Amino acid sequence: MEGLIEILKIILPAGAWFFAAAYLLVQKFLNNEQKRRDFELKKSVQASITPLKIQAYERIVIFLERIHPNTMVVRVNKHGMTSQQLHQELIKAIKSEYEHNLSQQIYVSHNSWSW
């Protein structure tokens, strides 16, 4: 009986260490696997969002070009318009351009859009 107790004194702590080591290894493997999946997901999302962001910045550049005073006056001004009519048409054109490009705000940073 004493021999069995001596063997258990050795086997139980060794078994506990074995299970603790196995648990830690499995836990580390699962954490690494989760990080890998998160990275793959982030990479795939970024691959689909990046072209949309680039397109949004292109639209903002076009928006800025279209509301530039030199191009707007030439585009909006009609022969015989009064200054008040031109002013109203310019404001209407700017609002129209802004509303047309409003959806681009979700892809453009706040700082870029607020300039």
Side-chain angles (χ1 to χ4, degrees), residues 48-65 97-98 100-110 112-114:
S48 62
I49 293 293
T50 301
L52 294 173
K53 283 186 175 183
I54 291 171
Q55 187 180 27
Y57 279 102
E58 289 171 351
R59 287 292 310 154
I60 295 302
V61 169
I62 293 169
F63 166 70
L64 292 174
E65 180 61 31
E97 288 292 329
Y98 177 80
H100 180 73
N101 291 290
L102 191 60
S103 64
Q104 302 303 316
Q105 281 187 353
I106 58 176
Y107 298 110
V108 178
S109 71
H110 177 71
S112 296
W113 187 255
S114 63

Side-chain angles (χ1 to χ4, degrees), residues 41-107:
L41 179 64
K42 187 177 182 180
K43 191 168 94 173
S44 69
V45 166
Q46 191 169 10
S48 62
I49 293 293
T50 301
L52 294 173
K53 283 186 175 183
I54 291 171
Q55 187 180 27
Y57 279 102
E58 289 171 351
R59 287 292 310 154
I60 295 302
V61 169
I62 293 169
F63 166 70
L64 292 174
E65 180 61 31
R66 287 187 58 86
I67 65 168
H68 190 271
N70 292 340
T71 59
M72 281 200 79
V73 170
V74 171
R75 194 174 65 244
V76 173
N77 191 18
K78 295 181 178 100
H79 184 68
M81 284 181 107
T82 65
S83 63
Q84 185 64 26
Q85 289 172 330
L86 179 61
H87 181 259
Q88 289 174 350
E89 287 298 316
L90 289 172
I91 289 175
K92 189 165 65 170
I94 291 172
K95 284 181 181 180
S96 174
E97 288 292 329
Y98 177 80
E99 289 169 359
H100 180 73
N101 291 290
L102 191 60
S103 64
Q104 302 303 316
Q105 281 187 353
I106 58 176
Y107 298 110

